Amino acid sequence: MRSRGTRGIMALTAVLVLFWSNVALAGNGDPLTAGADTTATRQTSLTTTQSSGSGLFVTLDGTSTGSAIRGRTGGAGNGVLGASAAGSGVRATTGSGSQAALAAQNTGGGPAASFTVTNGPPFTVSSSAVVTDLNADRVDGKNANFFLPATGKAADADKLDGHDSSDFLPNSVPLSITGATSSDAVIAGTNTGSANGVQGISDGDGSSGVYGQNNGAGFGVAGRANAPGGVGVYAESTGGGPGLRIHTNGAPPMQVDSSAKVDNLNADKVDGASILSNRIISTTQNAHILQLPGFGDFNVVSCDHTNAVFQWSSGGPVAYVFWWDEFNTSDSFECVANIVTSNARPHHFVTVQLARDVGANTSMATVTVTTRAVDCVFAAQAIVQPG
């Protein structure tokens, strides 16, 4: 028969066996005891077969600012390593309104966080709020030097390569950029290929494809060609209008610093006077030879291939007329008239001077008319000074 003491020892032994069977052991076989430090020489593992919840749940009670679980390695390994076959490797949550759910700090100068993926974005966010001091290197895969510095918003990030979003042009119209520079230009376009450096297109009537304005004493638009044979500014009109239109408020419409002749420059006036010329072959009465601003017309009267006749008509007002025919000097005369008709001659070489009072001014014209009856050729040229 066993004594009462023997029965107590056996009961205590059963309790200890039950206790040790439910305690995780350190790698060297020592138990992990709460409130005590344990040293292990091998990995310590805890495996659970439950389908939900946590394999290990640690609670830090009270208002402590410490950590429920803390991991540290003395080498280059991980302080804490989390892995999942289908869920999150590490998940952090907090109920704080000011503190971050996940805080990462590197005191050695390296990055505080590193993200490595096989494909897809390295991380995702559920908010479009601006992250203060987030200095991103790219926007839509493009580096900051891809964008023009201007006014606008480049991304939801607060910084891109150190630039605030207000340093970039928006992808919208109108684009507006303002700045101060003492060299180059606010916008400088260089094309190393064969197309244009800057090109502007407008579909509006009266608008400009490219518009330039200078508020000082400089140029609204300037052009330069550095290669031989190049053109500083080229203007072209394919719709029937002038290739170049110049407007001023009383100043000369243009200035040149060269006395070289401009080929094919067909000016209407020289020093305020109109220069006119024309040549026709006609036997038709009233065929137009030349029209003089303010002085009427020179027209064909007749031509029979033997003699030719022409006429000047003012259309109404009279003028002082000096008529000199070098081939037919007897036909020369002076008069006051509004119509003068030449005699029928095989040849004419007539100088006609016309003068007419117009208020305080005098309007004058000098006209040279030649005819050749055998061919019915009428030619005339004139200089007209309006009154």
Side-chain angles (χ1 to χ4, degrees):
M1 178 173 137
R2 293 174 181 169
S3 65
R4 182 178 301 175
T6 302
R7 291 196 300 269
I9 293 173
M10 292 178 64
L12 178 60
T13 301
V15 171
L16 292 175
V17 171
L18 179 63
F19 174 77
W20 289 115
S21 65
N22 289 278
V23 173
L25 301 179
N28 56 3
D30 295 332
L32 297 177
T33 305
D37 295 333
T38 301
T39 302
T41 58
R42 297 189 306 275
Q43 176 178 293
T44 300
S45 300
L46 173 64
T47 303
T48 177
T49 58
Q50 65 191 62
S51 59
S52 62
S54 304
L56 177 64
F57 187 86
V58 179
T59 301
L60 184 66
D61 288 331
T63 59
S64 173
T65 59
S67 302
I69 295 179
R70 180 178 179 183
R72 182 176 64 183
T73 177
N78 302 308
V80 174
L81 175 64
S84 173
S88 300
V90 175
R91 181 175 180 178
T93 61
T94 181
S96 172
S98 60
Q99 297 299 314
L102 178 64
Q105 180 181 10
N106 187 327
T107 61
S114 175
F115 303 92
T116 303
V117 295
T118 302
N119 51 52
F123 63 89
T124 61
V125 295
S126 62
S127 171
S128 61
V130 173
V131 181
T132 304
D133 293 329
L134 175 60
N135 190 351
D137 182 64
R138 293 179 180 272
V139 172
D140 289 341
K142 297 178 176 62
N143 193 270
N145 57 18
F146 177 85
F147 300 95
L148 290 175
T151 299
K153 188 175 183 180
D156 286 335
D158 185 63
K159 299 282 186 179
L160 175 62
D161 281 354
H163 294 280
D164 188 79
S165 62
S166 61
D167 292 338
F168 300 93
L169 282 174
N171 185 21
S172 61
V173 175
L175 298 179
S176 178
I177 177 170
T178 302
T181 177
S182 58
S183 61
D184 296 329
V186 174
I187 297 178
T190 301
N191 188 341
T192 57
S194 59
N196 300 316
V198 176
Q199 180 170 321
I201 299 174
S202 174
D203 293 330
D205 293 341
S207 62
S208 303
V210 175
Y211 176 78
Q213 177 176 319
N214 183 282
N215 293 327
F219 306 101
V221 175
R224 174 184 296 170
N226 292 324
V231 179
V233 176
Y234 175 75
E236 178 184 21
S237 174
T238 61
L244 179 64
R245 176 178 293 177
I246 303 175
H247 172 74
T248 64
N249 290 324
M254 70 173 68
Q255 294 178 338
V256 295
D257 59 1
S258 171
S259 60
K261 179 184 177 182
V262 180
D263 292 336
N264 299 321
L265 179 61
N266 188 357
D268 181 64
K269 293 179 180 293
V270 175
D271 292 338
S274 297
I275 298 179
L276 311 167
S277 65
N278 192 28
R279 180 178 182 272
I280 66 171
I281 299 174
S282 177
T283 61
T284 304
Q285 185 178 7
N286 295 326
H288 179 68
I289 302 173
L290 197 66
Q291 181 179 15
L292 307 179
F295 283 98
D297 301 271
F298 282 82
N299 298 314
V300 174
V301 174
S302 64
C303 181
D304 58 6
H305 296 284
T306 300
N307 292 299
V309 181
F310 66 94
Q311 181 183 82
W312 165 73
S313 172
S314 71
V318 297
Y320 298 95
V321 181
F322 173 82
W323 188 287
W324 177 263
D325 191 337
E326 189 67 30
F327 277 133
N328 310 286
T329 57
S330 61
D331 294 343
S332 302
F333 60 89
E334 297 179 18
C335 69
V336 176
N338 59 6
I339 297 177
V340 175
T341 304
S342 72
N343 293 322
R345 304 295 187 191
H347 296 282
H348 293 94
F349 188 79
V350 179
T351 299
V352 182
Q353 290 183 326
L354 305 170
R356 186 164 58 87
D357 286 335
V358 183
N361 300 312
T362 299
S363 181
M364 298 177 294
T366 300
V367 187
T368 301
V369 181
T370 65
T371 68
R372 178 181 168 90
V374 67
D375 300 318
C376 291
V377 174
F378 297 82
Q381 62 181 20
I383 299 177
V384 180
Q385 174 64 53

